């Protein structure tokens, strides 16, 4: 490929000049393509947001600990001893789990996947 320099080396024939005239844009296009491929690859792998990942990990850890607490306290939470926990039972037992009633209601809605108003427990 050709370069544009100080002029100390230049094509002298018409054919050489025509060849250079075609090769300069071609060389620029190849260089531009290489640079765009490098930037496209970097854009495909953006840097991770460490704070977001650590918050998500902490939330998952808290959720697992809370589910373990519910499982271990399921007999105390299940007031009518029917083998399932209702939303009202979980809200009433919120102080045992160190939850606010609103958080207990939110947790129950997340646990009640089938939306039947009760969550079975194994005690």
């Amino acid at each position: 490929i050709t370069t544009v320099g100080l002029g100390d080396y230049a094509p002298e024939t018409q054919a050489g000049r025509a060849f250079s005239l075609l090769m300069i844009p071609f060389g620029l296009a190849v260089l531009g393509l290489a640079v765009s491929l490098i930037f496209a690859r970097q854009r495909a792998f953006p840097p991770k947001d460490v704070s977001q990942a650590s918050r998500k990990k902490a939330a998952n850890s808290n959720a697992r600990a809370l589910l373990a607490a519910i499982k271990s306290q399921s007999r105390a939470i299940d007031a009518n001893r029917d083998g399932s926990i209702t939303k009202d039972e979980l809200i009433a037992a919120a102080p045992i789990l160190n939850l606010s009633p609103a958080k207990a209601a939110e947790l129950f809605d997340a646990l009640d996947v089938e939306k039947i108003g009760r969550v079975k427990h194994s005690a």
Side-chain angles (χ1 to χ4, degrees):
I1 304 180
T2 185
T3 61
V4 178
L6 298 175
D8 48 351
Y9 294 105
E12 295 177 9
T13 65
Q14 291 289 40
R17 290 179 181 163
F19 180 76
S20 294
L21 186 65
L22 296 175
M23 287 307 292
I24 290 174
F26 179 74
L28 289 173
V30 169
L31 182 65
L33 179 64
V35 170
S36 68
L37 288 175
I38 291 169
F39 282 105
R41 179 170 292 262
Q42 181 166 355
R43 188 176 295 195
F45 300 104
K48 293 182 180 177
D49 183 5
V50 176
S51 62
Q52 183 180 11
S54 62
R55 282 194 305 265
K56 194 174 191 179
K57 185 176 180 181
N60 287 340
S61 176
N62 291 341
R64 274 184 259 138
L66 190 54
L67 290 174
I70 290 172
K71 189 172 185 176
S72 68
Q73 299 290 329
S74 61
R75 285 190 177 231
I77 295 171
D78 186 12
N80 61 4
R81 307 278 187 253
D82 65 349
S84 62
I85 299 171
T86 65
K87 189 175 200 173
D88 293 333
E89 288 172 335
L90 189 60
I91 291 171
I96 296 172
L97 301 169
N98 294 326
L99 292 174
S100 68
K103 190 69 176 172
E106 180 183 328
L107 175 64
F108 182 84
D109 291 336
L111 292 174
D112 187 15
V113 178
E114 298 174 1
K115 303 299 180 205
I116 57 174
R118 70 180 66 128
V119 177
K120 296 244 183 235
H121 69 82
S122 56

